[in-house]
Amino acid sequence: QEQLAEFGVGLVQSGGSLRLPCVTSFKVSSIYAWHWHRQAPGKEREKVATISRDGNIYYGDSVQGRVTISRDNGKSEVYLQMRDHKPNDTDKYYCQVVTAAYGYWGQGTQVTVSS
């Protein structure tokens, strides 16, 4: 069964940078798009970034200019690079892979920004 998992250091200082990898066992050819989302308790889930099979990229308004999404097709991995972290970036970050059949979610990784 295909799986995916997010990794990354949990604590970052305000103004700092963080790179979150999402590692999957999916065949790259089966993936339509990769998404990064974030959500904190009591808050709505927010889409942070997307990269499609064709290389089209989307960034959420709240992170525009501070985030870069990229992928390594050879390793079936996608990365979320965030810069200039702010306290309200504290959230649980989730990777999602969309295939023709379904959207698969990772367990999420907690990111806490200290001021």
Side-chain angles (χ1 to χ4, degrees):
Q1 180 176 353
E2 287 84 357
Q3 295 180 336
L4 70 160
E6 307 91 343
F7 300 91
V9 176
L11 184 64
V12 61
Q13 288 188 334
S14 183
S17 299
L18 189 62
R19 184 173 183 255
L20 300 178
C22 174
V23 181
T24 86
S25 60
F26 290 88
K27 290 184 179 179
V28 172
S29 59
S30 69
I31 298 173
Y32 282 18
W34 307 73
H35 303 288
W36 279 98
H37 304 263
R38 65 183 183 182
Q39 187 171 23
K43 288 174 57 179
E44 290 188 2
R45 186 170 63 207
E46 176 188 7
K47 184 180 291 183
V48 177
T50 295
I51 185 165
S52 72
R53 168 188 286 180
D54 298 331
N56 295 316
I57 290 175
Y58 160 87
Y59 296 121
D61 289 341
S62 65
V63 298
Q64 189 73 244
R66 300 190 294 122
V67 65
T68 302
I69 187 170
S70 60
R71 65 186 181 198
D72 185 331
N73 289 335
K75 297 181 180 179
S76 193
E77 297 179 3
V78 69
Y79 311 97
L80 185 69
Q81 176 78 47
M82 289 190 70
R83 304 170 292 277
D84 190 22
H85 273 279
K86 306 179 187 307
N88 61 6
D89 289 329
T90 295
D91 273 317
K92 195 163 188 178
Y93 287 73
Y94 297 88
C95 179
Q96 182 194 22
V97 166
V98 177
T99 69
Y102 198 68
Y104 297 86
W105 291 81
Q107 292 297 309
T109 185
Q110 177 66 39
V111 173
T112 301
V113 181
S114 64
S115 57

